[in-house]
């Protein structure tokens, strides 16, 4: 604000905006802009939508007009500056600008560029006055950051200065939205509605004149027409009401999702209903976020007659074992849920301890002095092991041959399962309540309230070492590699100890007791649960914290997925949470009807097993073998035909899955982590690339074998560039950072078939659709080569560094981009330039629509869409930051863009509107559609890592996915609560109504 604030002359501003302009430069444009703003979204019964001041007389001819101009400035809400070299030289424009800067807010100034240049110098936080010609130097130092402005330099002919002209209307909408104080999409819709109403009213007026002339003839017809108009208005009002209901439901969906896990299904149902009432980005995003958390439908559900306390799948995924307060442990068929065996244990069966081979299970009963071991397949009891005191800890050796028990008599006992003989007694100064076998079965670690963690040799019972704690030990764990032991307890610390010596390697402090510990399968990370309500993940070797999670209800237990990618937690809430450790995101939230007793992953990592206090045990699919909406991936790619997806869910595990199903996924274990994946048509060959290590490998996906690989030369520290694959999968590019040359290799054999050489660093490469040609960019040229043989075809000269290039699908066009702000379209057959497309600043990437009728270019400010045949700009698509990667949908109707504003967006190209937005914690870069257009892959990066995410984006697909994962529709009470007296209908037609909640359920939803 200026030093002096002048109030409005009355309670409301006389003018919504004041237009400051040069009569000489913009004498035609200014009246057209004034008329457009006053007519935009104007109701038919009003003269104008707003009053916009524009002086009609040159002040240079009549200086006495300044007091009137000053009064108009004082009575205006906004200031519109039409910037041009002529206005920059006008002392009257200068006087108007300086008056506003002194008396009004800079935030209510809008700039319309009509001629000349505006160049901002971010280093000096001011305009670059050596290049800026459209503003006077009196602007110097007046703004703290680069202002937003609209560009009307193209609008010079009369036919372009009409709201019927799409581009002019888009600019007017950009200006009118802040003047009206309404969002652009809402104001755009209002203008369309008012235009329709005006046409209807005008038509009605004409009919009225006819009626007055020939009333006797057309009176009846007029009445019918009036009724029709009334019906149209009623329908319009109904549509507006539906849009309002849609936005209200989307807002309620957002609130419920964050309020309680129990309300997640309700949140999804409201998001679906929101889309049924009318499209909005808010509804789409609410549905996307909810689907990221809700797992796929349950595979099987089994039931006990009392609390279910524990459940585990056998290693072959065929049998499910459950434990309950009803005195039994049961064995079920994991596929059908049929009961296969019942183990009559007696008492409250609290824990199951399965041998590594899945043949035996030990059962622990609450406050019992006995432990029993059973044969899983038959339910036959193998042994009963009695103690003189209650047993608090149980463990079974990896081979199932030995059983370890810790009792309240202070003894750790080792039993031979086959004979039932007690083999060793290992004394403690207090009872033993935590045990863990070493992976090789030769040692065991024990924790006790006597404040000691002890390591024992199982060969002779010798105590190998002892670690003294400041308080009671609550839990111990052995790392899968046998090198580390973890301990935690009442001294409010979790420690990692060297398993050989007992030496402390790392530790973390907590504010409450440490209650549970779990190593990842590779032993690299340790997960820690504490009564402070958190689950933390640390590096076992250093103690460095990797992630921290704070789910509702705290954390009582935790479990790693086999690949170390996911961590499941349970606590004192009716929910189980699943987290991506790398991205620190919650990826699944399972609402339950009772507190969870246990949560475990199945052996393949794609199944979650949950037991609950209402006696239910459920297995849920997390979608590990299929494309899953919202899933974060270490690396990912669609095959060049878009029919298959390669997904690295961990650094070295890759799944090849058909996009539309119908074929079993293929799993590969790769040699080293990959940050780039490429997949040939049909998913037959997989290319894995580690850019930092400089390694590229090609794999046969059917056999899982590496066909060939290439590694950078010893001593070469350069990163490998992102390789490109020809659409037919025959060829690959191979180059290194800062290299001036590039090799083309045969994908199947690794044979070098061509080399491309530039005079400077190669910036990009791209194959033609038929794979016959390769275009490379670098220095100030784009060069076309024959892919097989490397014969130079054309050398295309640019006026600046060539950044990227792309062929059209039919091969008729080639587009190039450069740092000079130009995108050029070429005839690749002749090498002749066809047209130039002007931009402000560099153009980073370019893409043709599948039919080659449209061209999209990305810049630091926006994505632009062009008509290829005419070179005319069709429209612009705005991000909040630069967008570096773009991709057309297979049908060419939509465009995806990835931006540094952390979003990947999808745009409807016919309407030039945003129809989907996928946001994440990292900047979005590469984007790609699958062959069906249903899924969008987006590459993200944040400070910690790179990752890819798979998205559903179409509302219809999101609704179908939600209904596939949900179990119930809204109840009639819930319907009335959120949708009032609207007639009930099932949101998902195939689902039943939600049953009434259990008597002890707590309703945490929004009150009526």
């Amino acid at each position: 604000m200026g030093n002096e604030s002048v109030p409005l002359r009355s309670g409301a501003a006389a003018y919504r905006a004041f237009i400051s302009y040069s009569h000489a430069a913009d004498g035609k444009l200014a009246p057209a802009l004034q008329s457009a703003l006053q007519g935009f979204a104007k109701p038919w019964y009003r003269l104008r939508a707003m009053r916009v001041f524009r002086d009609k007389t040159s002040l240079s001819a009549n200086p006495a007009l300044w007091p009137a101009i000053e009064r108009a400035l004082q009575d205006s809400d906004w200031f519109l500056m039409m910037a041009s070299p002529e206005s920059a030289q006008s002392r009257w424009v200068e006087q108007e600008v300086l008056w506003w800067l002194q008396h009004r807010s800079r935030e209510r100034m809008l700039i319309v560029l009509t001629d000349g240049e505006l160049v901002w110098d971010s280093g000096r936080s001011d305009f670059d006055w050596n290049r800026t010609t459209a503003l006077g130097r009196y602007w110097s130092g007046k703004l703290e950051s680069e202002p937003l402005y609209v560009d009307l330099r193209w609008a010079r002919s009369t036919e372009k200065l009409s709201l019927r002209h799409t581009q002019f209307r888009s600019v007017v909408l950009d200006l009118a939205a802040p003047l009206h104080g309404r969002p652009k999409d809402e104001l755009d819709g209002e203008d369309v509605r008012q235009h329709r109403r005006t046409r209807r009213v005008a038509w009605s007026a004409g009919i009225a004149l006819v009626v007055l002339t020939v009333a006797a003839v057309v009176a009846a017809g007029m009445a019918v027409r009036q009724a029709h108009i009334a019906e149209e208005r009623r329908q319009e009002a109904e549509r507006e009401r539906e849009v309002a209901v849609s936005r209200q439901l989307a807002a309620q969906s957002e609130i419920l999702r964050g309020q309680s896990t129990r309300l997640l299904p309700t949140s999804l149902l409201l998001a679906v209903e929101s889309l049924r009432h009318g499209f909005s980005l808010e509804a789409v995003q609410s549905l996307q976020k909810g689907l990221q958390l809700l797992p796929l439908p349950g595979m099987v559900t089994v039931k006990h007659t009392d609390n279910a306390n524990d459940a585990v799948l056998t290693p072959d995924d065929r049998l499910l074992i459950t434990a309950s307060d009803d005195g039994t442990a049961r064995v079920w068929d994991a596929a059908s849920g049929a009961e296969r065996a019942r183990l009559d244990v007696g008492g409250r069966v609290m824990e199951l301890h399965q041998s590594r081979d899945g043949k035996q299970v030990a059962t622990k009963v609450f406050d019992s002095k006995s432990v029993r071991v059973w044969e899983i397949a038959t339910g036959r009891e193998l042994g009963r092991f009695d103690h003189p005191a209650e047993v608090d800890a149980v463990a079974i050796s990896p081979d199932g041959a030995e059983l370890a028990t810790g009792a309240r008599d202070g003894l750790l006992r080792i039993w031979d399962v086959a004979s039932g003989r007690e083999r060793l007694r290992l004394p403690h100064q207090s009872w033993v309540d935590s045990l863990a076998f070493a992976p090789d079965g030769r040692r065991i670690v024990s924790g006790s309230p006597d404040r000691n963690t002890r390591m024992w040799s199982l060969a002779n019972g010798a105590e190998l070492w002892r670690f003294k704690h400041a308080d009671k030990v609550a839990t111990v764990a052995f790392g899968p590699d046998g090198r580390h032991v973890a301990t935690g307890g009442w001294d409010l610390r979790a420690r990692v100890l060297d398993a050989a010596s007992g030496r402390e390697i790392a530790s973390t402090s907590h504010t409450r007791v440490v209650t549970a510990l779990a190593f990842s399968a590779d032993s690299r990370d340790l997960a820690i649960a504490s009564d402070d309500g958190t689950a933390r993940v640390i590096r076992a070797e250093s103690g460095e914290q990797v992630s921290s999670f704070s789910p509702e209800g705290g954390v009582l237990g935790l479990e790693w997925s086999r690949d170390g990618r996911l961590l499941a937690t349970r606590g004192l809430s009716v929910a189980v949470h699943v987290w991506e450790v790398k991205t620190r995101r919650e990826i699944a939230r399972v609402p339950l009807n009772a507190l969870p007793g246990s949560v475990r992953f199945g052996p393949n990592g794609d199944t979650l097993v949950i037991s609950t206090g209402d006696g239910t045990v459920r297995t849920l699919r997390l979608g590990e073998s299929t494309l899953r909406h919202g899933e974060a991936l270490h690396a990912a790619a669609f095959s060049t035909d878009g029919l298959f997806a390669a997904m690295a869910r961990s650094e070295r595990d890759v799944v090849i899955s058909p996009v539309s199903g119908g074929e079993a996924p293929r799993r590969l274990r790769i040699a080293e982590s990959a940050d780039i994946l490429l997949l040939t048509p049909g998913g037959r060959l997989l290319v894995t690339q580690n850019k930092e290590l400089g390694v590229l490998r090609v794999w046969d996906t059917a056999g899982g074998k590496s066909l060939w690989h290439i590694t950078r030369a010893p001593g070469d520290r350069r990163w490998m560039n992102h390789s490109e694959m020809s659409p037919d999968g025959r060829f690959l590019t191979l180059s290194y950072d800062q290299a001036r040359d590039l090799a083309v290799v045969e994908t199947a054999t690794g044979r070098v078939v061509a080399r491309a050489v530039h005079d400077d660093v190669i910036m990009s490469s791209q194959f033609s659709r038929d794979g016959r040609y390769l275009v490379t960019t670098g220095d100030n040229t784009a060069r076309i080569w024959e892919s097989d043989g490397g014969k130079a075809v054309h050398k295309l000269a640019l006026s600046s560094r060539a950044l990227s290039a792309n062929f059209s699908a039919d091969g008729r066009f080639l587009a190039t981009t450069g740092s000079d702000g130009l995108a050029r379209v070429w005839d690749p057959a002749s090498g002749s330039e066809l047209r130039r497309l002007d931009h402000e600043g560099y153009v980073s990437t370019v893409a043709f629509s599948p039919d080659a009728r449209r061209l999209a270019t990305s810049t630091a400010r926006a994505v632009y869409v062009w008509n290829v045949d005419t070179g005319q700009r069709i429209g612009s698509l705005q991000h909040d930051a630069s967008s570096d990667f773009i991709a057309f949908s297979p049908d060419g109707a939509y465009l995806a863009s990835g931006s540094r504003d952390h979003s990947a967006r999808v745009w409807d190209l016919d309407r030039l509107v945003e129809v989907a937005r996928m946001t994440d914690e990292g900047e979005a870069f590469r984007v790609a559609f699958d062959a069906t257009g249903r899924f969008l892959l987006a590459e993200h990066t944040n400070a910690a890592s790179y990752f890819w995410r798979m998205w559903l984006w179409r509302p219809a697909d999101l609704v179908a996915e939600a209904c596939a994962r949900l179990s119930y529709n809204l109840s009639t009470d819930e319907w009335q609560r959120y949708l009032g007296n609207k007639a009930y209908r099932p949101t998902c037609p195939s689902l039943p109504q939600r049953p009434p909640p259990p008597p002890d359920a707590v309703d945490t939803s929004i009150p009526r």
Side-chain angles (χ1 to χ4, degrees):
M1 295 290 291
N3 296 326
E4 178 185 0
S5 179
V6 175
L8 294 173
R9 294 172 61 86
S10 60
Y15 302 104
R16 192 67 57 85
F18 180 102
I19 297 180
S20 179
Y21 69 105
S22 164
H23 289 73
D26 297 316
K28 292 183 179 180
L29 182 55
L33 183 61
Q34 178 191 29
S35 176
L37 289 172
Q38 292 183 150
F40 201 87
K42 180 187 77 67
W44 66 270
Y45 52 84
R46 291 177 57 183
L47 181 62
R48 59 180 71 90
M50 66 174 74
R51 295 186 68 195
V52 176
F53 180 86
R54 177 182 63 85
D55 70 294
K56 300 178 183 179
T57 306
S58 171
L59 287 181
S60 61
N62 190 356
L65 284 177
W66 173 249
I69 295 298
E70 190 172 19
R71 285 194 298 274
L73 284 165
Q74 187 174 339
D75 282 349
S76 298
D77 270 344
W78 290 80
F79 187 89
L80 267 62
M81 165 68 182
M82 301 188 72
S84 65
E86 289 81 0
S87 69
Q89 300 301 317
S90 169
R91 67 187 184 91
W92 296 107
V93 171
E94 176 182 358
Q95 191 171 349
E96 291 163 357
V97 170
L98 293 177
W99 188 97
W100 192 274
L101 288 172
Q102 180 180 1
H103 301 297
R104 289 283 189 265
S105 170
R106 291 169 173 81
E107 296 178 356
R108 290 199 166 233
M109 298 185 79
L110 301 174
I111 297 176
V112 181
L113 181 62
T114 64
D115 199 4
E117 298 292 334
L118 284 182
V119 182
W120 183 259
D121 186 342
S122 57
R124 298 175 54 246
S125 295
D126 200 354
F127 290 101
D128 183 342
W129 294 109
N130 292 323
R131 299 164 65 190
T132 296
T133 60
L135 294 178
R137 288 298 292 265
Y138 52 88
W139 281 87
S140 179
K142 295 297 191 297
L143 302 178
E144 297 178 356
S145 60
E146 183 179 8
L148 295 176
Y149 63 88
V150 297
D151 192 341
L152 271 178
R153 289 179 292 181
W154 52 269
R156 287 301 170 192
S157 60
T158 303
E159 61 271 14
K160 292 182 179 180
L161 301 180
S162 166
L163 288 176
R164 293 191 182 94
H165 190 277
T166 303
Q167 196 172 354
F168 184 71
R169 185 180 183 279
S170 176
V171 170
V172 172
L173 177 59
D174 286 339
L175 295 171
L179 299 187
H180 282 271
R182 298 173 68 179
K184 284 175 61 177
D185 59 343
E186 181 181 314
L187 186 61
D188 190 25
E190 178 65 16
D191 181 62
V192 172
R193 285 192 293 272
Q194 294 296 346
H195 180 66
R196 290 173 179 168
R197 287 174 179 169
T198 301
R199 290 177 61 191
R200 287 196 297 269
V201 171
W203 200 84
S204 299
I207 292 294
L209 290 175
V210 174
V211 169
L212 291 174
T213 306
V214 287
V217 179
V218 297
M222 185 58 188
V224 172
R225 182 55 189 166
Q226 290 299 326
H228 180 67
I229 291 174
E231 176 62 18
E232 284 187 342
R233 290 177 178 173
R234 187 195 65 78
Q235 292 177 2
E236 183 73 18
E238 178 65 18
R239 283 192 291 270
E240 291 178 356
R241 191 185 74 81
E242 289 289 281
V243 170
V245 171
S246 172
R247 288 177 174 162
Q248 178 184 357
L249 290 172
Q252 289 175 316
S253 173
E254 284 283 311
I255 293 170
L256 293 185
R257 190 181 68 253
Q259 193 174 54
S260 168
T261 298
R262 191 174 223 148
L263 297 173
L264 180 57
T266 306
S267 170
L268 273 175
L269 288 165
L270 293 184
V272 172
E273 280 296 332
S274 174
L275 283 174
R276 292 256 166 91
H277 282 74
F279 173 82
S280 69
L281 277 177
E282 295 86 354
V284 171
Q285 288 184 291
S286 183
L287 197 49
Q288 286 173 328
K289 292 173 184 176
L291 281 174
Q292 283 184 257
L293 298 178
L294 193 68
L296 296 171
M299 297 164 61
V300 69
T301 299
V302 298
K303 186 81 172 176
H304 282 266
T305 58
D306 207 337
N307 295 349
N309 299 315
D310 201 0
V312 61
L313 283 164
T314 53
D316 59 7
D317 231 355
R318 296 175 59 191
L319 299 176
L320 172 67
I321 314 158
T322 62
S324 170
D325 280 357
D326 65 8
T328 68
R330 307 188 194 190
V331 181
W332 315 79
D333 184 286
S336 67
E339 186 175 327
R340 296 276 295 272
R342 182 173 297 197
L343 318 180
D344 292 317
V345 183
R348 299 170 58 191
V349 188
M350 304 301 294
E351 298 175 13
L352 299 169
H353 298 270
Q354 182 181 209
S355 60
R356 184 182 293 171
D357 60 10
K359 294 181 178 180
Q360 299 165 335
V361 65
T363 54
K364 176 183 175 297
V365 176
F366 179 74
D367 272 355
S368 172
K369 298 179 181 180
S370 295
V371 176
R372 301 164 81 174
V373 177
W374 312 78
E375 187 176 60
I376 294 173
T378 64
R380 180 172 62 91
E381 184 176 340
L382 300 178
R384 179 184 178 118
F385 305 90
D386 295 320
H387 301 70
E390 289 83 357
V391 177
D392 285 319
V394 175
I396 195 165
S397 64
D399 60 5
E402 293 189 320
L403 178 74
T405 59
R408 296 183 187 176
D409 60 0
L411 292 176
L412 164 59
R413 293 174 169 85
I414 307 297
W415 310 79
D416 180 78
V417 173
S419 66
R421 178 176 61 88
E422 182 183 327
R423 196 171 67 78
L424 292 172
R425 285 190 178 189
L426 310 175
H428 294 68
Q429 296 168 349
S430 182
W431 64 84
V432 181
D433 58 7
S434 56
L435 298 170
F437 275 97
D440 60 7
R442 296 179 180 179
R443 294 166 294 165
I444 192 169
V445 63
S446 61
S448 169
D450 67 8
R451 303 186 177 188
N452 287 301
T453 296
R454 295 175 170 88
M455 181 70 74
W456 308 87
S457 167
L458 295 179
N460 54 19
E463 182 178 324
L464 301 177
W465 52 260
R466 181 185 304 188
F467 188 92
K468 185 71 173 178
H469 297 260
D471 209 332
K472 294 177 288 186
V473 180
T475 179
V476 298
F478 228 118
D481 63 0
R483 297 175 54 237
H484 299 133
V485 166
T487 71
W490 291 83
D491 60 358
L492 313 185
R493 298 188 74 82
R495 291 179 169 86
V496 179
L497 308 177
D498 179 77
S501 65
R503 176 180 58 85
E504 181 176 320
I505 297 173
S507 69
T508 63
S509 297
H510 299 260
T511 58
R512 302 289 294 276
V513 179
V514 175
T515 56
L517 301 164
F519 281 97
S520 59
D522 60 6
S523 298
R524 184 173 68 167
D525 294 329
L526 174 70
I528 307 163
S530 168
D531 274 352
D532 61 13
T534 66
R536 302 187 200 176
V537 178
I538 65 169
R539 291 277 186 255
E541 288 283 1
S542 65
E544 174 192 359
Q545 182 167 303
V546 176
S547 299
S548 178
F549 312 107
S550 301
E552 58 178 316
V555 186
L556 294 178
L558 35 74
E559 171 93 355
W560 285 94
S561 62
R562 179 182 63 86
D563 58 12
R565 192 172 60 90
L566 305 178
L567 185 72
T569 63
R570 64 177 179 88
L572 291 174
S573 69
V574 286
V576 162
H577 303 263
V578 183
W579 313 86
E580 278 175 349
V581 174
K582 183 176 183 179
T583 62
R584 305 172 187 172
R585 288 179 63 119
E586 183 182 11
I587 65 111
R589 188 186 302 172
V590 187
L592 305 170
N593 291 324
L595 291 176
S598 67
V599 55
R600 298 179 189 255
F601 280 98
N604 290 328
D606 59 359
T607 307
L608 203 63
V609 185
I610 304 170
S611 64
T612 56
D614 61 356
T616 301
V617 176
R618 287 194 290 168
T619 59
L620 297 170
R621 289 186 291 119
L622 292 177
E624 289 288 308
S625 299
T626 57
L627 277 67
R628 181 176 185 271
H629 167 77
E631 180 180 16
L633 302 160
H634 185 77
F638 289 123
S639 58
T640 52
D641 60 7
L643 297 175
F644 287 79
M647 300 171 286
R649 290 191 163 94
S650 64
E651 289 187 347
R652 296 179 58 195
D653 291 299
V654 180
V655 174
I656 312 296
S657 179
V659 169
S660 300
E663 183 180 319
R666 298 166 237 168
R667 296 177 181 270
L668 283 82
R669 181 73 172 170
I670 60 178
E672 56 271 314
S673 66
D675 42 31
I676 300 297
L677 300 179
L678 301 170
L679 194 60
T680 62
R684 191 176 68 85
L685 299 180
L686 173 71
V687 179
T688 61
Q689 191 176 4
N690 186 308
K691 295 191 294 184
E692 184 177 5
L693 297 179
V695 179
L696 181 146
R697 293 180 186 269
V698 176
W699 304 79
D700 175 7
T701 62
K705 302 294 184 182
S706 174
L707 301 179
W708 62 271
H709 74 278
I710 188 168
T711 306
R712 68 186 173 205
D716 188 348
R717 310 302 297 174
R718 294 177 301 168
W719 283 40
M720 187 177 283
N721 288 328
H722 191 300
S723 291
E724 300 292 341
M725 178 180 285
S726 62
D728 58 8
R730 288 183 58 208
F731 301 118
L732 287 172
T733 61
L734 182 64
S735 67
Y736 293 91
D737 186 40
Q738 300 300 309
R740 300 185 179 190
D741 64 330
L742 171 151
V744 179
V745 300
E746 204 169 48
T747 308
T749 65
R751 180 175 65 92
V752 176
V753 297
R755 289 193 180 276
V757 180
H758 278 254
D759 299 332
D760 204 341
V761 175
I762 292 179
M763 301 298 293
S764 73
S765 61
Q766 192 73 42
F767 287 96
S768 62
R769 176 68 66 177
D770 59 11
R772 292 180 57 197
Y773 299 102
L774 174 75
V775 60
T776 57
T777 60
D779 43 59
N780 283 20
T781 66
R783 309 189 189 201
I784 302 175
W785 318 81
E786 289 184 355
S787 302
D788 195 350
K791 178 183 176 182
V793 179
H794 291 297
K795 181 179 179 181
L796 311 178
L798 280 70
S799 58
S800 67
R801 178 178 290 275
L803 299 179
S804 67
N806 211 333
F807 287 98
S808 62
D810 59 10
R812 292 189 302 125
F813 301 112
L814 174 72
T816 61
T817 70
S819 56
D820 57 0
L822 290 175
R824 291 173 166 88
V825 180
W826 309 77
D827 176 1
S830 64
S832 59
E833 183 178 332
L834 302 178
R835 57 192 57 89
R836 296 184 179 188
L837 310 177
D838 251 327
H839 300 72
E840 292 181 17
Y842 72 91
V843 186
S844 55
T845 53
V846 62
F848 284 96
S849 61
D851 61 6
R853 295 175 61 189
R854 291 171 170 149
L855 181 73
T857 55
S858 61
T859 71
R861 290 182 178 272
V863 175
Y864 296 99
V865 183
W866 308 80
N867 182 301
V868 174
D869 291 330
T870 65
Q872 293 296 309
R873 193 168 80 185
I874 299 171
S876 62
L877 313 172
Q878 299 291 330
H879 274 272
D880 297 328
S882 63
S883 175
D884 293 326
F885 290 94
I886 47 181
F888 279 90
S889 63
D891 60 5
Y894 299 94
L895 182 75
S897 55
S899 171
R900 297 179 186 272
D901 64 9
H902 295 200
S903 73
R905 307 190 191 192
V906 180
W907 311 83
D908 182 323
L909 294 178
D910 288 334
R911 297 181 294 143
L912 294 177
V913 296
E914 182 182 354
V915 294
R917 181 183 303 182
M918 290 66 68
T919 58
D920 216 302
E921 296 174 354
E923 298 175 352
F925 287 97
R926 295 178 185 271
V927 288
F929 287 98
D930 74 305
T932 68
R934 291 181 65 237
F935 284 98
L936 180 73
L937 260 180
E939 181 189 24
H940 295 268
T941 178
N942 56 30
S945 63
Y946 285 87
F947 60 96
W948 291 76
R949 200 172 289 280
M950 187 80 69
W951 299 99
L952 286 171
W953 62 274
R954 288 175 173 164
D957 292 328
L958 291 166
V959 168
E961 185 72 12
C963 289
R965 297 192 191 187
L966 290 164
S967 301
Y968 301 105
N969 279 309
L970 295 170
S971 68
T972 52
D973 284 346
E974 289 172 319
W975 182 274
Q976 187 177 10
R977 173 177 298 171
Y978 299 112
L979 288 105
N981 295 324
K982 193 176 183 70
Y984 181 87
R985 68 179 178 192
T987 303
C988 297
S990 62
L991 299 180
Q993 279 194 40
R994 189 194 306 276
D1000 59 345
V1002 178
D1003 185 4
T1004 56
S1005 60
I1006 298 174
R1008 298 188 195 199

